[in-house]
Amino acid sequence: MLHFDSQQMFLSQSSWLNHENNASYAAKSNDLDVWDPIEARLGPKALPYFAALPLFTTGLILICLLLRWILPHPPIWATNFIAETKQLHGELDQPPKRGTSYWSVALFLVSAAGFGLQTASLSQHIHELTALFGAISWGLALILVALIRPRRTSWSLVGLYLSVLISRFIVLTNQRSSPKWQDTPDGIGLLAAVAANGIALLMPMRPPDLPKDGISPAFEKPTKELRTPEDDISLWQWMTVSWMAPLIAVGKKRQLNDDDVWFLGYEFQHARLHQAFRVLNGTVVNRLLQANGLDLFISCALASIRFIVATSSPLVLQLLLASMENPASPKRSAIMFAILMFVMSFVDTQCSMFGLWIGRRAYERSRGEMITMMYEKTLKRKMAVMPPKFEEEEVIEHDEDGVVNGENGVDGIKPARNTVGKFYQTLRRSFKMPFGKFGQSSARYTALHEAKQPASMGKILNMMKSDVYEVAQQFWDVDMYVMRFGQFFLCVVFIWKLLGLACLLGVLTVVIAQVITAAIARVLLRWEKLRRVATDVKLQVVSQFVEAIRHLRWYGWQDSWLEQIIDKRQQELNLRVVTSIWNMLIMLANGLASGMFPVVAFFAYTVILKQPLRVDIAFPALQLFRQLEFALRSIPLFITKLLNAYVALKRVEDFMTEPDKLEPEKQATSGRQPELKDATFTWPGGHKVVLRNVSLSFPVGLNVIGGKVAAGKTALLLALLGELDQLSGEYHRSNDTIGYCAQTPWLQSMSIRENILFHSPYDEARYKEILDACALTPDLANFKHRDLSMIGENGIGLSGGQRARVALARAIYSPARILMLDDPLSALDHQTAESIVRKCLTSSLVKGRTVILVTHRLEICQGVADQLIEIDNGNARVVDNAKDIADDTNVDDEKTGEEGTTETQAGQDTDEVVDQFMEEERREHGGIKYSVYWEYIKAGKVRWWLVLVVFLAIYRTIAVGQSWFLKEWGEAYNRVGERSTPISNFFDRLPAPEDNVRPWLIGFFIIAVAQTVANLIAQAFMLVIVYTAGKQMFKDVIKSVAHATFRFYDVTPTGRLMNRMTSDIGTIDGNISRQFQEIADLSVTWISCIVVIASVTPVFFIYSVAMTAAFVYIFLRFLPTSHSLRRLEMVSLSPLMSDFGALVDGLTTVRAFCAQSRFQDRVIAVTDAFQKMDHFYWSLQAWLNYRFDLLADISIFFLIMLALWTNVSPGLVAFALVSAQTFVQATHSLCKSYGQLQMDFVSVERIVELLRLDQEPPGDIDPPASWPTYSGDLSFSNVTIRYAPHLDPALNDLSFNIKGGSTTAIVGRTGSGKSTIALTLLATLVPEAGSIMIDGLKIAKVNKQALRSRVTFLAQDPVLFPGPLRKNLDPLNQHDDEACTHVLERVCPNYDWTLNTEIDAGGRNLSQGQRQLIGLARAILRQSSIVILDEATASVDLGTSREVQRVLREELKGATVVTIAHRVEAVRGAERYVVLGKGRVIEQGSVGEDGRLVAEE
């Protein structure tokens, strides 16, 4: 449908032109033989040119064929980037067969009939060129069909037949004589042209030589097993989007599921896109332009056609009105103009649909190309272990006003309770800062942050979700840029024609405004960079919070982290406010320019040129000014989009230029043994040497590496894997697959079997042998679905020892010749560890393989190792005996204690693995509930919504007043008599404009400024609403997540939470409230148009109501399916986020197994699943838009015909048509805006769902400050624990006591329920039967925050946070530096650590043993009366473990210590022990001085 704005522009001009009489109008036509304005006919001189239109089309076809011959290999951008060929289907790419099909026969017969009929007509009109050209046209068509023999849609034939139809129609409708029998061939020939075009539209677009397997037939029930019908439909089905009908039908009946949605079409599938895109050279933007250049060209061409049609259609409308006004003009001419208007509107509608499809293709493909490109880069880039830290608190230095990027935020604005006060502070600083020290700060920002820092997880997620979207969006919006700038240029041209030289001053105001806009845009660009940094930081903190939420809850630190997150969120919001304010300044500059343009132009016209501003000048000029205003108001949006895209593209480019991991040399051969010669290594990007002058070779067999904590054992494995930077020496890596088992096991959210196989073929005999060798068979026997049981995200459903053994089994099962195992025995009890060494690491399973094992449990490997290696402070040497390794290993002591641990029985927490561990993401059904809208309205504060509505009403009133003012101004010239209305009497007080025009100019100036200011204030309050709603909803949702039940964390993937924290919160942070504003504005416009139309004639009103019903009917068919697709799109985004997050954690494992291609394929599949929902959602939007636009075109046409039938005056026709066009556009836009609002509120709906999570009961009892006392006992009385109601008990009727002040060891095989006891003591699991007492209080009733802040739990894998070491020891800042230094020196005396030592996220720059030591220091610092240690020294060498045990006894003297351990050292240092098996106590007693266990009766 044509844009109303362009129509109204020329319609207003027609009111000026119509004042010319018919004689002068006809005089402008020098030759009636060209055009007859009265009869609305082409003259005999012009008609042959239109008859020759097919000849011109044929010429263009020949030129295209010639260019194809001259340029057989055009530039990549000018070709179809992804083309389906027979070769890709495994067939030879031979020339297509020239067989004859039914389609070619039908076209040949129709063309022959047309040629025969036109030849017969030529015999009757032998001297007429039109008949001759007609015969030639049909002859050319006949020849082309015979040569091509089309079996599918031929664009050449479509163009030719369409030109034949147009030319024949023009020739027949412009004949001056009445139809005669001799004209019968011409009439039948026109029908033949219609038939030929109909056949061309119904022909299939797919080449018949290509197979159709896997493509869904059109109009059949959709299924994900088949590709979209788009790959095999006719031109008619494509141009009408009718192929979407089956999906709409299913969506109307019920909620759509993934199985109901087709798979993506061939040229949208990301496997092919990625393979084609990755071979392109150049920068990211150059590659994107090469891949999508053809789509950009087509989009611009379609936009140009639309612009030409849109600007021409109002001229036709002007001719229509002139024809109606002229009594001499027959009604036929008006009808012809109405038909021409409809045809032009239809062309605009069709081009709009084509443009949407082409633009969406460019958008979807460019976004998919960038996502898969970034994932591949993540797979290849260097491991970011010890990057120099960027302290966001130091980005911006203090200025004289205290603006600082510290704890108060990036812009130095402290959170204020008063929102208006907050905005005032932000506004003041946003003006001062860029022109003060901003330049210095910006330079420092560039130096610190843009110095190629490795992208953090938060930044990668932000780029993947936001930056990629903003870059890809420009490929979709390019047609809008073409149309808006063309509209701006045309408006200036017509204002020049209307006002003459007076236009120049108006243009000058626009130029000045654009200069100011450019200056503001430069400042905005800098602020936008800072905002994105703040968003990265916030996402990083949120990501760490989500990943560490269990640990934070165990320590009772979640509230402190909430404050940190909310602070980072506040910094982000502050910068959003600042960037929005600068955007509003751009809007203000352009708004004032559009308002001052008419003021200055009217001033020059009336004062300088001394011309009267009559109505026929004022109103056309006003409409042109409004068009100019519309174009100028688009400029701020375009500037913002382009600036954001520029910043986003720069960030993506920087990410893509990060250094990659060095791959093995191409000439590297398989079978080479790992060997180092004087090799020195550093961490990636670092300078500190971690391994120096290492000379080692690793023969076939078991190579055991030992050494103290942080000696460099893990670094040696990473060096062998090629993950470290090599400074000197020789190391020629093999390109073989390496079976790698990381120190912290990395598992995927899938079944145990899938994790072990890791895409290797399933060999049942070997698989079962490995399960037995890794001691997994007894564990699997207790699982309901054995090895097919799902284990949850990163193996959350398994115990620590089970995770280690599954990761070990994965390495052993792999076909790798080299196995690198990083301390997999640390999490295992002695019996299991010894069994694995015997059955697995020295068995036939590793025969002929090189096994490199890092371990502290050297005593188990003594005598079976082929080589023992000691690592000491980065130096490596081969030793002969385990006792020679500086690990303080006491082999004899370990053997002495072996008898005690072998008494434990096999057990298993059978409840922690279920059929589907992770719950499916929930989706709402039906429309968005009103309660969701109300939640958002409440979050934005009702009072601000009311203020916004008031200023919108004021703005609308001023706009109406402006039109009325100009009306009065124009009518004031030569006014005679008084008027009776109060408003008219008010204007009567002003002097006549011919005497003194200045008061009128001042009044018009005041109105223009008031309108701009009212709009600015409305936008400001809309910003207040967005800020307030975004701030409140984020705060509420993060608090809801922080206090949810622990079961929620078990069944909810991290990627799903991150999706909602990024994508959905991002939608809320956007201008979602703008949809509310548009709906309110459109509703007012719609009602006013109804009133105007009804006042003209009741018939118009009845027709308008019927048309509205048709709009609503179409919209109601669209809405259910759109809801389903939008929800599916949001749900399908979660796995994409999870894959990026999981890859960062398991990158080393993936690369060691050479599994990059498989993971790339997986993310491609996930991207396909996500993009297909987006693709079909916008295909559905195209279906809606096409029908809305077509219905609007038909409505306008019938309204014109209705006006002609009712003989309404031309003035009323113009008035009614303008109102009707506004009404149609308002109805159209209202439905679309409401639909878009519902789509955006899917994100709000998902956020509200998080607000309603089940919350953990806080507890009813507030214990006294002294609770629990050092002498308070721990008591389990008939305790039964389940992780979920449908699961088997983890602890079953468990009863035992722990005396206050004692040290008790909880022992048992891996999975026997030891860690479950620790969790129950923190009340994360509530007993379904029995009770747990601490110092006389039931912990189920005690305040949870008090309990967890007074009971210290140290998990086997302590969580560490990025920042200084002091922050990790005392996150709540409850202790002074002296106390922190004291525990650091006691627990970690061997390291040069200070409180300012920087720790990487997750402690990645520390060894596992060092992380455990920091966790122990943290536990000692808390000085709790109850301390629970869960395998707290499992990754520490034995000597260090003994020293730590001694320190613990000294520092925690008097405290109740519960130690969960496999090592004998933990039992030897305890006073009592409890042996668990299958969730029950199978033995308990005391520990003798010699470490012997004395069981009780």
Side-chain angles (χ1 to χ4, degrees), residues 1002-1046:
I1002 294 173
F1004 189 75
F1005 169 75
I1006 293 173
I1007 291 174
V1009 172
Q1011 190 175 9
T1012 302
V1013 171
N1015 181 59
L1016 180 67
I1017 295 175
Q1019 297 300 321
F1021 277 102
M1022 190 172 71
L1023 174 60
V1024 171
I1025 290 172
V1026 172
Y1027 168 85
T1028 307
K1031 176 180 179 180
Q1032 188 63 46
M1033 295 198 81
F1034 182 86
K1035 182 179 179 181
D1036 291 343
V1037 76
I1038 200 70
K1039 283 186 176 180
S1040 177
V1041 171
H1043 294 94
T1045 61
F1046 279 81

Side-chain angles (χ1 to χ4, degrees), residues 984-1114:
S984 298
N985 291 333
F986 170 79
F987 284 102
D988 287 338
R989 301 174 185 174
L990 296 177
E994 58 265 26
D995 298 332
N996 185 7
V997 77
R998 294 184 185 276
W1000 296 90
L1001 284 170
I1002 294 173
F1004 189 75
F1005 169 75
I1006 293 173
I1007 291 174
V1009 172
Q1011 190 175 9
T1012 302
V1013 171
N1015 181 59
L1016 180 67
I1017 295 175
Q1019 297 300 321
F1021 277 102
M1022 190 172 71
L1023 174 60
V1024 171
I1025 290 172
V1026 172
Y1027 168 85
T1028 307
K1031 176 180 179 180
Q1032 188 63 46
M1033 295 198 81
F1034 182 86
K1035 182 179 179 181
D1036 291 343
V1037 76
I1038 200 70
K1039 283 186 176 180
S1040 177
V1041 171
H1043 294 94
T1045 61
F1046 279 81
R1047 182 64 183 167
F1048 170 74
Y1049 309 138
D1050 293 339
V1051 300
T1052 305
T1054 300
R1056 185 184 303 172
L1057 272 179
M1058 288 304 299
N1059 182 20
R1060 300 200 181 193
M1061 294 294 178
T1062 55
S1063 177
D1064 296 327
I1065 289 293
T1067 301
I1068 292 176
D1069 285 341
N1071 289 333
I1072 193 172
S1073 59
R1074 187 182 298 275
Q1075 299 296 334
F1076 279 106
Q1077 177 186 354
E1078 289 183 359
I1079 286 176
D1081 187 37
L1082 290 168
S1083 298
V1084 172
T1085 304
W1086 189 85
I1087 293 172
S1088 63
C1089 289
I1090 283 286
V1091 173
V1092 170
I1093 292 173
S1095 65
V1096 174
T1097 173
V1099 179
F1100 277 31
F1101 174 72
I1102 295 172
Y1103 182 78
S1104 299
V1105 172
M1107 184 187 62
T1108 302
F1111 273 113
V1112 172
Y1113 171 76
I1114 294 173

Side-chain angles (χ1 to χ4, degrees), residues 460-685:
I460 292 175
L461 291 178
N462 192 21
M463 286 192 295
M464 189 270 294
K465 179 61 188 72
S466 300
D467 295 0
V468 165
Y469 164 79
E470 288 177 343
V471 174
Q473 185 70 28
Q474 306 314 305
F475 288 84
W476 189 10
D477 290 341
V478 65
D479 60 338
M480 194 58 63
Y481 299 148
V482 173
M483 293 188 67
R484 288 293 173 263
F485 284 108
Q487 183 183 32
F488 171 80
F489 173 78
L490 195 67
C491 286
V492 173
V493 169
F494 276 93
I495 292 174
W496 170 274
K497 292 183 65 177
L498 196 62
L499 300 178
L501 293 176
C503 175
L504 291 178
L505 286 180
V507 172
L508 182 62
T509 62
V510 175
V511 172
I512 295 173
Q514 298 314 307
V515 172
I516 297 173
T517 297
I520 297 175
R522 293 189 63 184
V523 179
L524 174 62
L525 179 62
R526 297 174 179 175
W527 278 109
E528 182 61 29
K529 290 181 179 180
L530 288 177
R531 183 195 68 77
R532 290 176 183 271
V533 172
T535 301
D536 291 342
V537 172
K538 182 209 71 175
L539 289 179
Q540 184 67 13
V541 175
V542 171
S543 176
Q544 294 162 7
F545 173 77
V546 170
E547 293 171 357
I549 182 62
R550 292 180 182 83
H551 295 262
L552 296 174
R553 295 281 297 277
W554 291 339
Y555 281 100
W557 289 345
Q558 73 279 351
D559 291 336
S560 174
W561 264 79
L562 283 179
E563 293 178 3
Q564 181 182 355
I565 291 174
I566 292 173
D567 179 62
K568 299 300 182 185
R569 168 67 171 173
Q570 185 63 51
Q571 295 176 20
E572 180 196 24
L573 286 177
N574 290 345
L575 284 173
R576 283 188 179 276
V577 170
V578 174
T579 54
S580 297
I581 289 174
W582 285 105
N583 272 317
M584 288 168 58
L585 290 177
I586 293 177
M587 189 181 301
L588 176 63
N590 285 280
L592 286 175
S594 62
M596 291 304 298
F597 195 139
V599 172
V600 174
F602 285 162
F603 170 80
Y605 189 76
T606 56
V607 175
I608 299 177
L609 299 181
K610 305 295 184 182
Q611 297 292 325
L613 190 66
R614 301 187 309 272
V615 172
D616 60 340
I617 295 295
F619 273 90
L622 179 63
Q623 297 304 322
L624 289 170
F625 289 139
R626 286 180 177 173
Q627 295 304 307
L628 185 66
E629 177 184 4
F630 181 75
L632 288 175
R633 288 189 185 279
S634 300
I635 291 177
L637 178 62
F638 292 164
I639 290 175
T640 302
K641 283 186 174 183
L642 291 173
L643 287 179
N644 289 344
Y646 170 77
V647 175
L649 185 62
K650 182 68 166 59
R651 284 155 53 89
V652 174
E653 289 276 13
D654 289 342
F655 176 70
M656 293 302 297
T657 55
E658 288 186 14
D660 290 340
K661 172 192 171 185
L662 294 178
E663 296 298 326
E665 299 176 359
K666 292 184 178 180
Q667 62 267 27
T669 58
S670 300
R672 175 185 295 179
Q673 292 299 115
E675 184 177 4
L676 300 168
K677 295 181 180 179
D678 295 322
T680 299
F681 297 91
T682 66
W683 292 112

Side-chain angles (χ1 to χ4, degrees), residues 1264-1284:
S1266 60
W1267 181 89
T1269 62
Y1270 282 89
S1271 59
D1273 293 347
L1274 279 66
S1275 174
F1276 283 73
S1277 178
N1278 304 113
V1279 173
T1280 299
I1281 294 285
R1282 298 176 191 267
Y1283 280 86

